[in-house]
C-alpha cells in the first residue's frame, strides 16, 4: 500500500509517499521560514496563504521524487488537527479533492499521532507499552502508548504543559534575546558555548498532576534577567545583525554574543532539558514503560538527546532522525497505514480541528 501523506498544520507545507507504513519513497518539506522570520513567529494568515501557494508543487514533487504517478497511490492521508485551522484546511481540502478525483480512500491523521509514528518508521520493533513524549512548538504532551494490534496504538494522556510548549519557550526566549526565529536551533547551537549552571532558574511545582509542565515562568525569568542586566542595547544590535544576515555562522554569532548572554542561553536550555527528562523518567517509572519515544521539533535538541542517553535513564529511548522530528508528511503517511488497514477512513465531511485531542 502506497500512501501519499499531506501535512499543513503549522508553517511547513509537506507531502510524502510512504510504502506499507515503513519505507519512505519521498519526503518533501517546504519551509515558510523567510515569510515568518521578520515577525519573530508564525503569522496564521500568512501561513495559510503560503500553504495555498505551495501545496500543488510540493505534492507534485513528492510524487516525482518517489517516481510514481497518481494512479500508483493506494490512499491519501492528511493531518486534520491539532493546528492552525486555516493551515489545516488547505491540506484537508486538497486531500479531499485528490481522494475524490482519484477515487482513493482518505485517512484523517492526528498530528501528534504522526509525531509518534515518526519514531516507528525507523524503529518498528520497539517495545510497548511506551511512554511517548511529543515536544514541539505547539505541544509538550506525554502519552502512555499501548499496542492493541499490529501497528495499532492507543494513547492515554499522562502529562501536558499547562501554558507554553517547550518549543514555544525556546522560540520566545530566542526572540527576547535577539536570536531570531525559530529559536530552538539557534539556542541549541549556542548553549554549548556558555555555562549551564551560571544562572539558577527555579521550575514550577505543579499542583494536581505532578507530571504536567509549565514553561511560562522560565520565559518571564529570562525577561527579568535581561532587564536587570540591562541587555537591551546588545539585543537591539543583534536584531540589526540578523536583518542583514538571517542565518549567521557560529563565528558571526559568537562575535555578537557576550559571555554572560551565552551563560544565560546555556542555563535556560539546561533547565528546560532537565525538566523534560525528569518528567519523562517519572512518567515512565510510574507506568512501568518498556521504552521511551521522544518526538517533535524539540527532539532535535542535542543536549536533550544526550541527556536521554545518560545512565540515569534506564529505558531504551527512541528518537526520530532530525528530519522526521520536525513537521513532515512521512509521519502522517506512516500513522495512516494502520488506520487504512483497519478500515478507519474519513469521508468528505472531514473537518479541521484546532484542538483535536489524541
Ligand atoms: O514539530 P515542529 O516542527 O512543529 C510543531 O509541531 O510545533 O516543532 C517546531 C519547534 C519550534 O519551537 C523550534 O524552535 C523547535 O521545535 N526546535 C528545537 C530545535 N529544532 C527545532 N528546539 C530545540 N532545539 C532544537 N535543535
Ligand atoms: Zn509538529
Amino acid at each position: 500500500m502506497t500512501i501519499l501523506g499531506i501535512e499543513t498544520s503549522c508553517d511547513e507545507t509537506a507531502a510524502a509517499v510512504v510504502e506499507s507504513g515503513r519505507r519512505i519513497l519521498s519526503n518533501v518539506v517546504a519551509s515558510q521560514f523567510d515569510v515568518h522570520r521578520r515577525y519573530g513567529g508564525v503569522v496564521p494568515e500568512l501561513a495559510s496563504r503560503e500553504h495555498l501557494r505551495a501545496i500543488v508543487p510540493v505534492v507534485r514533487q513528492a510524487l516525482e521524487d518517489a517516481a510514481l504517478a497518481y494512479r500508483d497511490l493506494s490512499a491519501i492521508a492528511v493531518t486534520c488537527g491539532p493546528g492552525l485551522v486555516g493551515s489545516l484546511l488547505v491540506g484537508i481540502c486538497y486531500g479531499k479533492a485528490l481522494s475524490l478525483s482519484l477515487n482513493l480512500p482518505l485517512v484523517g491523521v492526528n498530528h501528534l499521532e504522526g509525531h509518534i509514528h515518526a519514531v516507528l518508521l525507523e524503529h518498528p520493533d520497539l517495545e510497548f507499552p511506551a511512554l511517548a513524549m511529543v515536544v514541539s512548538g505547539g505541544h509538550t504532551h506525554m502519552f502512555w502508548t499501548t499496542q492493541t494490534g499490529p501497528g495499532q496504538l492507543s494513547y492515554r494522556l499522562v502529562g501536558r504543559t499547562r501554558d507554553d510548549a517547550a518549543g514555544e519557550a525556546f522560540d520566545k526566549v530566542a526572540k527576547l534575546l535577539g536570536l531570531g526565529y525559530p529559536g530552538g536551533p539557534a539556542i541549541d547551537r549556542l548553549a554549548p558555548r556558555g555555562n549551564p549552571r551560571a544562572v539558577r532558574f527555579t521550575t514550577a511545582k505543579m499542583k494536581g498532576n505532578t507530571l504536567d509542565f509549565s514553561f511560562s515562568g522560565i520565559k518571564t525569568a529570562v525577561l527579568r534577567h535581561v532587564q536587570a542586566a540591562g541587555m537591551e542595547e546588545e539585543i537591539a544590535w543583534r536584531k540589526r545583525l540578523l536583518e542583514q544576515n538571517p542565518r549567521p555562522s557560529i563565528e558571526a554569532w559568537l562575535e555578537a554574543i557576550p559571555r554572560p548572554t551565552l551563560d544565560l542561553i546555556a542555563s535556560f536550555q539546561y533547565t528546560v532539558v532537565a525538566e523534560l527528562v525528569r518528567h519523562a523518567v517519572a512518567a515512565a517509572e510510574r507506568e512501568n514503560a518498556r521504552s521511551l519515544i521522544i518526538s517533535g521539533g524539540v527532539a532535535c535538541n542535542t543536549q536533550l538527546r544526550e541527556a536521554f542517553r545518560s545512565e540515569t535513564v534506564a529505558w531504551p529511548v527512541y528518537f526520530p532522525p532530525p528530519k522526521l522530528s520536525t513537521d513532515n508528511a512521512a509521519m502522517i503517511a506512516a500513522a495512516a497505514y494502520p488506520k487504512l488497514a483497519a478500515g478507519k477512513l474519513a469521508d468528505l465531511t472531514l473537518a479541521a480541528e484546532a484542538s483535536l485531542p489524541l
Side-chain angles (χ1 to χ4, degrees):
M1 284 215 244
T2 308
I3 302 180
L4 170 71
I6 297 174
E7 153 64 42
T8 62
S9 68
C10 191
D11 61 338
E12 329 267 21
T13 316
V17 180
V18 178
E19 200 180 69
S20 308
R22 291 278 182 268
R23 209 161 77 85
I24 301 176
L25 303 183
S26 64
N27 188 17
V28 180
V29 180
S31 164
Q32 301 180 0
F33 170 82
D34 287 322
V35 176
H36 302 289
R37 174 174 56 79
R38 71 195 73 158
Y39 305 101
V42 179
V43 182
E45 290 78 4
L46 296 184
S48 319
R49 198 187 307 165
E50 289 308 307
H51 285 307
L52 273 175
R53 284 206 184 112
I55 188 77
V56 174
V58 163
V59 168
R60 281 196 186 141
Q61 189 67 49
L63 283 165
E64 203 179 307
D65 290 357
L68 293 177
Y70 286 111
R71 65 172 177 279
D72 300 317
L73 297 172
S74 318
I76 310 291
V78 63
T79 308
C80 53
L84 302 168
V85 168
S87 292
L88 286 165
L89 275 173
V90 177
I92 291 175
C93 290
Y94 196 65
K96 282 180 185 172
L98 283 180
S99 147
L100 193 65
S101 57
L102 301 169
N103 197 23
L104 288 175
L106 180 69
V107 183
V109 175
N110 184 306
H111 182 78
L112 299 177
E113 189 169 18
H115 274 304
I116 294 172
H117 275 264
V119 179
L120 297 179
L121 272 163
E122 283 213 341
H123 305 284
D125 301 323
L126 74 84
E127 283 196 64
F128 289 96
L131 193 279
M133 185 163 81
V134 180
V135 61
S136 69
H139 294 89
T140 306
H141 282 46
M142 293 191 296
F143 296 97
W144 179 241
T145 308
T146 44
Q147 199 165 26
T148 52
Q152 308 283 341
L153 302 181
S154 80
Y155 311 92
R156 175 167 55 84
L157 185 66
V158 292
R160 54 170 293 173
T161 180
R162 297 210 189 144
D163 40 57
D164 292 349
E168 198 179 349
F170 270 94
D171 294 337
K172 285 179 176 171
V173 163
K175 187 175 179 183
L176 200 74
L177 295 177
L179 303 175
Y181 159 86
I187 290 178
D188 191 354
R189 282 170 78 200
L190 293 166
R193 309 294 175 134
N195 173 7
R197 297 183 189 268
V199 184
R200 297 264 167 195
F201 292 111
T202 49
T203 44
K205 300 263 174 297
M206 304 310 291
K207 291 205 178 100
N209 184 2
T210 53
L211 293 177
D212 278 352
F213 300 89
S214 169
F215 291 110
S216 69
I218 187 167
K219 171 195 67 191
T220 313
V222 173
L223 175 64
R224 287 218 196 89
H225 192 96
V226 164
Q227 289 163 340
M231 291 165 62
E232 289 82 358
E233 215 170 289
E234 167 205 328
I235 290 166
W237 179 57
R238 262 199 303 277
K239 284 185 178 161
R240 283 196 297 277
L241 192 89
L242 267 178
E243 271 165 31
Q244 289 156 16
N245 177 11
R247 292 180 181 86
S249 66
I250 188 78
E251 291 76 23
W253 262 136
L254 290 175
E255 271 175 34
I257 307 178
R259 181 80 210 189
T261 309
L262 289 171
D263 289 346
L264 180 63
I265 292 167
S267 303
F268 162 77
Q269 179 175 280
Y270 174 82
T271 311
V272 173
V273 165
E275 197 66 356
L276 292 171
V277 175
R278 188 171 71 79
H279 282 229
V281 166
E285 245 163 31
R286 197 177 80 177
E287 305 277 351
N288 245 335
R290 314 257 317 243
S291 50
L292 290 179
I293 292 172
I294 318 289
S295 189
V298 181
C300 294
N301 188 268
T302 316
Q303 197 185 343
L304 185 80
R305 285 178 183 244
E306 280 165 10
F308 271 113
R309 280 193 203 106
S310 80
E311 283 147 28
T312 52
V313 181
W315 297 267
V317 186
Y318 300 96
F319 289 89
K323 203 166 182 245
L324 296 176
S325 295
T326 49
D327 288 351
N328 66 87
M331 67 184 196
I332 302 305
Y337 178 70
K339 290 186 192 300
L340 184 64
K344 292 180 190 161
L345 302 182
D347 58 26
L348 295 181
T349 63
L350 181 69
E353 277 191 59
S355 311
L356 183 68
L358 179 61

